[in-house]
């Protein structure tokens, strides 16, 4: 089939390349000309897609990248994988709206449009579908097909195509076509009765993680006040073979999903039902203040050592929002750095997963975590325990470490 994947970021590029590898003719559409130029040169912008894979589908002619919407003409199926950020707590769906209008201009009788971007229940049928109908002049269900299939990016255990894929359609025929498309890409597809179920399922997945991370973060603060080692308590609880899922504390949550997705549901509940989604709002409040807690603990530790935070040299290790990631979006490290700079500290950051010269969104100088840098710091804060960090060296040379990941030990180490 002629496939369009609109949005060539962390969701769209893996899907586009995989679709090309299984035999479809794929157009990767993105409005960012710099990204398109990079992809056309065979340079992947996503860690999950090796540049060698991208070059292979480019050279075979199965994949092309473009910012020209004229190249979208004649598509059989189009998948929307554009961002859905929050703006002051309100879902910003302008990227979906703009993409829907562009696709609608090229939508032909019998073609299919699938939304993968995360949003509140009702987005597919109440927002996407009317825009496609208005722009194309065609009727959804009767003249073109549509549905929702939430993105699920894999992890170290579950590959992209090995992770079960939820699929839905606005009607039976839409579901059949969408399922057939994804059956050729993923090992397992899971059909559900409609787009609203699939939309809510995606929010449920991420809200589950968000709330549980919030709970364990708050419990870590309580445990410290009670003089109890939270990490030992977590390991002890995890020996129970049922009824418990292990979550660990950290400096806060970040990225493109957890701080955002639960708020879509909270906003929808408030708008339509006039009731708050209290769990999500409480979780957001707890995680929003975790960087403040990290800084407070660090200031207390420095005071005990007779070192005022103002003028002290602080080295932050791991600036991305999670372990071994290459993504800085909504990372709590930004808030930690901001607070420390506001207190007068000389803050430096080390992030081996982000190439030199790339804007880190942090107003701190970038350094390598060398023995000299580690030894020169009054305090080292391990925010993310990336595998490229030499933890043994850090233990040996750091005068003091505040370890947010429970990876270090010794008289000079204090854990979250």
């Amino acid at each position: 089939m002629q496939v369009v994947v609109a949005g060539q970021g962390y969701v769209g590029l893996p899907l586009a390349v995989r679709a090309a590898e299984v035999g479809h003719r794929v157009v990767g559409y993105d409005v960012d000309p710099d990204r398109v130029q990079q992809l056309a040169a065979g340079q992947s912008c996503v860690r999950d897609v090796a540049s060698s894979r991208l070059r292979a589908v480019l050279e075979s002619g199965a994949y092309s990248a473009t910012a020209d919407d004229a190249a979208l003409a004649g598509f059989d199926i189009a998948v929307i994988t554009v961002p859905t950020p929050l703006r002051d707590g309100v879902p910003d769906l302008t990227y979906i709206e703009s993409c829907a209008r562009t696709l609608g201009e090229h939508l032909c009788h019998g073609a299919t449009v699938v939304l993968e971007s995360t949003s509140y229940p009702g987005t597919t049928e109440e927002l996407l579908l009317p825009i496609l109908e208005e722009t194309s002049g065609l009727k959804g269900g009767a003249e073109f097909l549509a549905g929702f299939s939430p993105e699920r990016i894999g992890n170290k255990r579950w590959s992209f195509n090995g992770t079960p894929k939820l699929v839905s359609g606005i009607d039976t025929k839409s579901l059949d076509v969408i399922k057939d498309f994804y059956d050729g890409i993923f090992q397992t597809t899971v059909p559900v009765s409609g787009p609203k179920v699939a939309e809510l399922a995606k929010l449920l997945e991420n809200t589950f993680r968000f709330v549980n991370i919030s709970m364990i973060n708050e419990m870590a603060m309580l445990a410290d006040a009670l003089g109890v080692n939270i990490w030992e308590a977590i390991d002890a609880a995890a020996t129970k073979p049922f009824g418990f899922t292990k979550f660990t504390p950290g400096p806060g949550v970040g990225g493109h999903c957890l701080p955002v997705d639960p708020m879509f549901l909270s906003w929808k509940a408030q708008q339509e039902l006039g009731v708050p989604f209290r769990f999500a709002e409480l979780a957001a409040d707890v995680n929003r203040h975790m960087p403040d807690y990290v800084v407070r603990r660090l200031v207390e530790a420095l005071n005990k050592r007779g070192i005022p935070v103002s003028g002290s040299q602080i080295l932050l290790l791991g600036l991305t929002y999670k372990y071994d990631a290459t993504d800085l979006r909504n990372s709590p490290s930004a808030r930690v750095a901001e607070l420390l700079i506001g207190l007068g500290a000389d803050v430096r950051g080390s992030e081996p997963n982000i190439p030199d010269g790339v804007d880190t969104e942090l107003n701190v100088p970038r350094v390598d975590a060398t023995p000299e840098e580690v030894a020169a710091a009054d305090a080292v804060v391990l925010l993310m325990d990336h595998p490229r960090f030499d933890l043994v060296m850090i233990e040996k040379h750091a005068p003091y470490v505040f370890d947010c990941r429970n990876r270090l030990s010794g008289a000079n180490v204090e854990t979250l």
Side-chain angles (χ1 to χ4, degrees), residues 140-152:
E143 296 174 294
F144 72 89
L145 309 177
F148 180 77
S149 179
E151 56 89 0
R152 281 175 169 173

Side-chain angles (χ1 to χ4, degrees), residues 58 69 112 139 166 174 188 234 236 246 270 292 313 352 363:
L58 281 166
D69 66 89
T112 303
K139 181 66 176 175
L166 296 181
S174 294
T188 304
I234 292 169
K246 182 177 179 179
Q270 189 66 55
D292 303 73
Q313 186 165 313
N363 190 26

